[in-house]
């Protein structure tokens, strides 16, 4: 099963770092950065309006726990948005690619 996982951050460079780190760790097959977007939300008793960048990551159900753990460790927000949505339909070739790219790399060495 393929998931789209969304998080947000307050700078494009941070969004790129989150996407790159997730892909390098093979917790996600790819990451797309969208923004800036305007977010309006309650935080610590006030309504905030912030410019943010969305990071949309593609992964598998099996790799989601690793992706969530990575985002929680790498993100600088106290409570980062991490929302996963199951894809209702996915092209077969794209699904295979996501599965291949999120598989653990083969062991190296003797």
């Amino acid at each position: 099963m393929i998931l789209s996982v969304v998080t947000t951050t307050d700078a494009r460079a941070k969004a790129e770092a989150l996407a790159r780190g997730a892909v390098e760790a093979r917790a996600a097959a790819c990451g797309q950065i969208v923004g800036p977007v305007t977010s309006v939300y309650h935080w610590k008793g006030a309504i905030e309006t912030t410019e943010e960048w969305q990071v949309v990551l593609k992964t598998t159900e099996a790799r989601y726990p690793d992706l969530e753990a990575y985002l929680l460790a790498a993100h600088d927000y106290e409570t980062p948005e991490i929302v996963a949505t199951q894809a209702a339909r996915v092209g077969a070739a794209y699904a295979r690619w996501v599965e291949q790219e999120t598989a653990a790399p083969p062991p190296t060495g003797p």
Side-chain angles (χ1 to χ4, degrees), residues 19-95:
R20 181 171 293 282
V23 171
E24 286 175 349
R26 294 199 177 269
C30 65
Q32 293 139 337
I33 298 161
V34 181
V37 297
T38 301
S39 296
V40 180
Y41 53 94
H42 283 277
W43 185 248
K44 298 187 177 182
I47 296 177
E48 301 286 338
T49 301
T50 306
E51 183 176 88
E52 295 184 298
W53 280 257
Q54 279 188 331
V55 183
V56 182
L57 301 153
K58 305 304 185 313
T59 194
T60 61
E61 183 79 34
R63 293 294 282 153
Y64 175 80
D66 295 315
L67 178 56
E68 181 180 358
Y70 164 76
L71 290 171
L72 289 170
H75 212 296
D76 66 345
Y77 282 14
E78 184 179 332
T79 307
E81 172 186 6
I82 304 172
V83 177
T85 304
Q86 294 178 352
R89 295 180 186 248
V90 180
Y94 185 79

